[in-house]
Each structure stands twice: as C-alpha cells, then as structure tokens.
Amino acid sequence: MKSMKLYDRVHRIHNELAARGIKPDAPLTVAQLTPFDQYNYFGPAAVDEAIEVLDIKPGMRVLDIGSGIGGPARYIAEKTGAHVTALELQSDLSELAGDLTRRCGLSHLVEHRTGNVLDGIDGEYDAVLSMLCFLHIPDRSRLFEICRNAMTPGAVLYIEDYGRHREATAEEAMALAAKVQCPFVPSIDEYRHHLADAGFGHVELDDVTQQWTAFTATRLAAYRDNRGRNIAVHGVDVVNGLDDFYATVEGLFSGGLIAGLRITAS
Ligand SMILES: C[S@@+](CC[C@H](N)C(=O)[O-])C[C@H]1O[C@@H](n2cnc3c(N)ncnc32)[C@H](O)[C@@H]1O
C-alpha cells in the first residue's frame, strides 16, 4: 500500500497543523482538519452528498469502509450526531485517525477499527458508505456480500469508486496497479452486475467523470503552484511522492480511461 504515495508518511498532517501554529496534542476542530484529512476528491461537499443520500440522522449506526485518517467519519459524526464505525486496513492510518478524533472530542461518536473488510464486519448498520476504497479490492463478490450482510433491512450502501470507460493500455494498467494500488477496474456494466449478483435489487449509478477529471487536474496544478511552500512544510521527498501520485491520477482521468462513479445500492 505504501507504494501509493497518498498513504505514505501520513503523519504529514502534523506538519500542516504545525504550520498553522497548532501545538502537538492541542484540541482540534473538524473544520481545522478538513483541508487535510479527506482522501477523497471533494472533501466535505462529497460527504454532504453521502449524508443527504443516506439520510443520516442522530443516533443512526453508520459504517465507513476504508476510512483513511478519519476525515469523513468525523465530519459525519459532528454534523449529524450519528455513531460512526470507521474501518481502515492500514494500522498507521487508523491509529492516527483515532488520535485526531480524540483531539476533536468525538471519540464518543466515532469508533476506529483496524481491519480488512474482506475479513467480515461485526454488527449491523443503518447506513454504509465507502469513498474511494473499493478500487483497491478486486474480489467484488465477497466484498458486496459482506456489505449486504452488514446492513439492516432498508439500509442503503453509498459508494464512490472507479469504473473504466475502455480497456487500459499496458502502461495505464501498470500505473494503476503500482501507483494507485488498483489491480482491477470494472466497466460500468460489470459494476452493475456485481451488485445485482450480491442481491442489491435497486442500484443507481451516477457518472461523475467530468467533475473528477476537473478535480484531479486542478489538484495537480495547485500542488505544483505551491511546490516551494509544500517543500518548506513537508520536505522534498513527500512533495515528489505526492506530485507523482497526483500526476498519475490526473493522467488516468484526462486520458479517458477512468470513470468516476457515485453509486447508491439497496
Ligand atoms: C483513498 S482512501 C479514502 C479514505 C477515506 N474514505 C476518505 O475519503 O478520506 C481509501 C482507504 O481505503 C483503505 N482500504 C483499502 N483496502 C481496504 C480493505 N480491504 N479494508 C479496509 N480498508 C481498506 C485504504 O487503506 C485507504 O485508507
């Protein structure tokens, strides 16, 4: 996973907080963190969309699969008062997430668990979301079966994920596998079939490729415009790694390979 530079040296968020004069272990607010703790494309705006679609209310039990350093989970908990279980594969991300949640005073609403979703999920949830995680998991039949079994009757699954518009070239397939940890990308039709096979009878699939293509281009340009500042804050190794990652993802979208998908399944 660490060959994907987004997931390497995740404690770099502390450099951003220090650059704003926030002392180590000082209390934090969710608003202070959202510019840095979201590993999806539109941060709070994307999570707001999930909250609305899933109709998340105070007291609901929500599962976030592939929760990263906890940005979406904290945002949902603070905004809605729901209880969020944040499941994350990588222990360094999960432990950092737990620490940031504690500093935000949200540990009573957000439970961070370290684990692989493919090992199964304890408990049942009123809403399940997963933002840009399933692209790392080729075994869709097991994944969607586990998701379905974790949902109460009537619960909705909300997914942000990659699909593909065409076959990848050998070079694109290599970049996807090595730099984005994405060994399998289904076509949009395949995606529908995988969900239907797992028993999801109602599936809505929005193609948001245009927005995500624009986002990934803007992200790369902004990162390059601020290269000097970013090196001063993080050091050249972190900046070169993220620059390469952002450029790889931008190329996969602008080359017309990747489809951005927002999916609701019940
Ligand atoms: C692009 S990040 C998105 C994180 C978070 N959803 C967000 O929007 O900020 C995807 C996350 O999924 C996690 N992940 C990948 N495979 C997983 C698995 N099998 N089980 C649990 N988490 C997984 C990765 O470790 C990574 O932190």
Side-chain angles (χ1 to χ4, degrees), residues 11 14 29 44 72 88 104-105 115 133 136 190 197 219 227 247 250 259:
H11 286 85
H14 290 143
T29 65
E88 169 52 48
C104 288
C133 166
H136 295 307
E190 281 175 312
D197 290 349
R219 176 174 69 173
R227 182 174 170 85
E250 187 278 334

Side-chain angles (χ1 to χ4, degrees), residues 6 11 24 32 58 83 87 144 147 180 186 256 260:
L6 184 68
H11 286 85
Q32 282 173 320
H83 290 268
L87 177 66
F144 292 143
C147 289
V180 197

Side-chain angles (χ1 to χ4, degrees), residues 83-139:
H83 290 268
V84 186
T85 299
L87 177 66
E88 169 52 48
L89 178 67
Q90 300 180 73
S91 58
D92 54 343
L93 276 72
S94 191
E95 282 160 23
L96 172 60
D99 190 50
L100 295 172
T101 296
R102 175 187 61 77
R103 290 174 66 186
C104 288
L106 284 170
S107 299
H108 61 298
L109 286 179
V110 183
E111 181 198 346
H112 292 280
R113 287 188 196 163
T114 306
N116 184 343
V117 62
L118 295 180
D119 290 339
I121 289 166
D122 281 340
E124 279 200 327
Y125 297 87
D126 306 311
V128 177
L129 79 149
S130 186
M131 302 176 79
L132 294 175
C133 166
F134 292 175
L135 53 89
H136 295 307
I137 305 175
D139 187 350

Side-chain angles (χ1 to χ4, degrees), residues 152-176:
T152 54
V156 173
L157 169 64
Y158 182 86
I159 308 167
E160 283 197 351
D161 201 1
Y162 286 2
R164 66 174 167 79
H165 286 302
R166 57 169 172 78
E167 293 294 336
T169 63
E171 198 183 335
E172 287 169 335
M174 181 92 96
L176 271 170

